[in-house]
Each structure stands twice: as C-alpha cells, then as structure tokens.
Amino acid sequence: MIAPLRRAALVLAVAATALLTLAAPAAAHGADAPDGTDYRATISGVDPDRPGLTARMVEAGARLELTNDTGVDVTVLGYSGEPYLRIGPGGVYENTRSPATYLNRTLAGETRLPAEANPAAAPDWRRIDDGPTARWHDQRTLWREDAPPAAVAAAPDREHRVRDWAVPLRAGDTTGAVRGTLDWVPPPDPYPWWVAATLGFLLIGAAGLAPGGTAAGVRALRAVGALLALGGAATVALTVARALDTGSPGLGGTLAELVTGQVWTLLTGLGAIAAGGYALARRPAADFVLALAGACLTLFAGVTNLAALSRSIPPAAGPAVLVRVLVVVGLATGAGAVAAGLLRLRTAARAARATPHPHAHPTPTS
C-alpha cells in the first residue's frame, strides 16, 4: 500500500502539472508583455492639448495608450509619416497599408511585412475596436537594442536619460505628438529579497515539525493556515495590480482582465485564502490541503513573478517596492506551506505505522 506521504507527493505533482498546462493559454494572453524592464517610459505631454485627448504608458511601458474623447478623429502617424491609426467617435481603425500595423503587433517588432504594406499607398482602414482607446507597441518609446546605451554601460548603477521621444499625431489640419522620455533606472539588488523569501520559507516550514495532535501541533497548523491566507491575499492584490497595469478601462475592464489574462493567478490566491481558512478550522486532511495550495501559490504567485525582484519597473500598478513585497510574501508562504504540510503528513504516516492495527491478534504461545 502506498504510504500517505508518497500519495500526497504524487497528487501534488499531478496537480502542479495540470495547473501549468491549463495556465498556458492564459499566459499566452500577455505573451508580448514584459515580465519587467529597467527602462522607464514616461508621458510628458500631448499636443494638441485638448480636453478628452489623453495618453499613458501601460504594461510596464510596453504599450502606449491613447484615448480620444474629443468628438473628432485623431490620426497616429507611422514610422514613415503615413497614417497608422485613426481614433475617434466611430472607434479605432488601423491602416492595413501601414508597416506600423504589422511591426507593432509584437514587442520585438519582428513581424514579417505583407506585400500590401506600403507607406506611400492610400490608406485602407479596418475597424479594430468600438471604443475611443487604442493601445499599441511603439518602437519610438522603447529601447529595442540588446546592448544598453553607452552611458548606461559605463555607469549602470546611475539613472540615465536615454532619449526624448515623440509619436506624431494629426487632428484635421493640426499636427502634434504624444511626447515623452525614456530613462534607464538601475535594477534593484535581488539578494535581500531572496534572503527574506528564504527566511520566511524556513520559519513557516519549521512549523511542520510540531507533532500533530498536540497543543503545539494545533497552534502550528493554525499559524501556517493564517500565513497561507495572508499569502493568498497578497497574491490577489498582486493580480489586481497586474490587471490595472494592462490599462483595462474602468471596473468592468479590470474585472474582464482578471477573469481572462489573470484568471489562474487570481484563482490561486483565492484558493490559498480558502485553504488557510480550512486549516484554521482544523478540518480533515488540512495538511494535504495546505501543501497543495502552497504548491500552487509558489508556482503562480512566486515563480511566475520572480522578474519583479530584479527589475526596476515591474508589470504591475503601484510602487515597485510594494510589488516585490507581495511577490516575496506569496513565495515564502506558499513554499513554507508546502514544507509544513509535507512534514506533518510524514509525521502522521510514521505515527500510523507505529500504532498497532486495531484488528491485529496476538500470536498464540505454546
């Protein structure tokens, strides 16, 4: 008969594999969004300055967003000065003849241009959205070289202005631009964050050494459950911050992003909260539930967000330090819950082997 510990490890492995497989489509939703960057793109102004015409950077600066509520069309010009996007009361249209239409589909800009892409040709407009907002990768706002700028290479521990940039616009007979800056921001030292995550993991995991069925074991189970719930809450907060950074408009847009692009991380956080409550209530199989929820939290809240610990601009709304704290809390509580749950299962398995079977009969003596 397979021992409880081996059975638990097998189920954990199968569950993790299944979750990773199911998560693949969701991960592909933001496949061209960076895990983080050390280049900060900032909007400095929009010209012409009209009420209702606003711009911002989203997805850690990977996309430029332009919203036009002025009531008249605004055209974004491509890399050769050709009409690229038209944004206005009728929605968002892209020019299928503009090379920018294809180059801007991915962050790397490696899309092969079709034969009809010709900046000198008359525009051929295709509607792509009903609303007044467009978001796109614009190479003018990004640093696309593999090597850093010379000034950054010479002094990578200092902040540098890489360049000022402009994305030209046209509104009727008026020309203008979205203007901004691109700066190098030195990345943080990930070592302190790794130390914090490791210490948290060891402290939480050590709770699994307390014998089950004792007062100390009950307190340890409840402590691990409470900390796992805390890690789940941190993961939910991180998931919301990532959804906000995509630029989804309003509450409805944020909720839509949460249940599409961020659904597995959100479910992991909510599951960790539920598992923590389950352990606090000392329900049956709480040790196994802690280990399973902890494994999911480690994978989806910790491992998938590790870049935030070593990048100055993480892909989440809010202060970068707070984002790193949320990642470390999720990673430490998740991994700690796995260790504590497995240790408690191992202790229970040993106790079960040491306890005589209630139906065992003594060997008769002559």
Side-chain angles (χ1 to χ4, degrees):
M1 183 177 180
I2 301 177
L5 182 61
R6 292 178 59 193
R7 196 161 55 239
L10 177 62
V11 175
L12 282 173
V14 172
T17 302
L19 283 170
L20 285 173
T21 302
L22 290 171
H29 175 79
D32 58 346
D35 293 328
T37 179
D38 297 321
Y39 294 93
R40 181 181 60 210
T42 306
I43 303 291
S44 57
V46 181
D47 180 28
D49 184 9
R50 295 180 178 178
L53 186 61
T54 59
R56 62 174 177 166
M57 305 303 303
V58 298
E59 293 184 5
R63 293 182 194 267
L64 172 60
E65 175 189 282
L66 184 66
T67 298
N68 177 22
D69 282 318
T70 64
V72 297
D73 286 338
V74 170
T75 301
V76 180
L77 304 184
Y79 302 120
S80 298
E82 81 283 3
Y84 159 46
L85 292 173
R86 192 178 73 206
I87 310 165
V92 179
Y93 293 78
E94 65 180 8
N95 176 15
T96 61
R97 304 286 178 81
S98 169
T101 293
Y102 309 97
L103 296 173
N104 292 351
R105 285 179 177 171
T106 64
L107 184 60
E110 79 285 4
T111 306
R112 183 185 297 273
L113 295 179
E116 63 267 24
N118 179 3
D124 180 16
W125 296 108
R126 177 175 60 190
R127 188 175 183 176
I128 58 174
D129 199 281
D130 296 337
T133 299
R135 301 180 192 90
W136 70 96
H137 300 299
D138 199 299
Q139 299 174 19
R140 291 163 288 205
T141 70
L142 304 169
W143 181 260
R144 298 180 59 248
E145 304 295 330
D146 293 332
V152 172
D157 57 340
R158 293 171 48 195
E159 189 167 323
H160 297 273
R161 173 62 48 84
V162 176
R163 65 167 175 260
D164 297 321
W165 53 263
V167 175
L169 307 176
R170 187 169 62 221
D173 296 331
T174 304
T175 59
V178 179
R179 304 185 187 279
T181 57
L182 185 66
D183 295 282
W184 163 266
V185 181
D189 181 2
Y191 180 75
W193 300 103
W194 277 110
V195 170
T198 303
L199 289 176
F201 156 69
L202 292 175
L203 289 173
I204 298 171
L209 298 173
T214 65
V218 171
R219 289 194 298 269
L221 177 64
R222 287 176 170 170
V224 175
L227 290 170
L228 181 63
L230 175 64
T235 298
V236 171
L238 177 63
T239 306
V240 172
R242 293 200 62 145
L244 291 172
D245 191 57
T246 64
S248 300
L251 179 60
T254 301
L255 291 175
E257 174 62 25
L258 285 173
V259 299
T260 54
Q262 310 289 334
V263 62
W264 291 108
T265 310
L266 177 63
L267 291 177
T268 297
L270 295 175
I273 295 174
Y278 191 89
L280 284 168
R282 298 173 58 194
R283 303 299 296 273
D287 300 332
F288 174 74
V289 171
L290 283 177
L292 178 59
C296 295
L297 199 66
T298 303
L299 287 171
F300 289 98
V303 174
T304 58
N305 290 291
L306 286 180
L309 304 182
S310 57
R311 296 295 187 184
S312 56
I313 315 295
V321 171
L322 177 58
V323 173
R324 296 181 194 110
V325 169
L326 295 176
V327 172
V328 167
V329 170
L331 185 61
T333 56
V338 173
L342 291 179
L343 284 172
R344 290 176 61 88
L345 286 169
R346 183 168 179 263
T347 301
R350 285 181 172 178
R353 287 195 298 268
T355 302
H357 197 279
H359 300 294
H361 298 286
T363 302
T365 58
S366 56

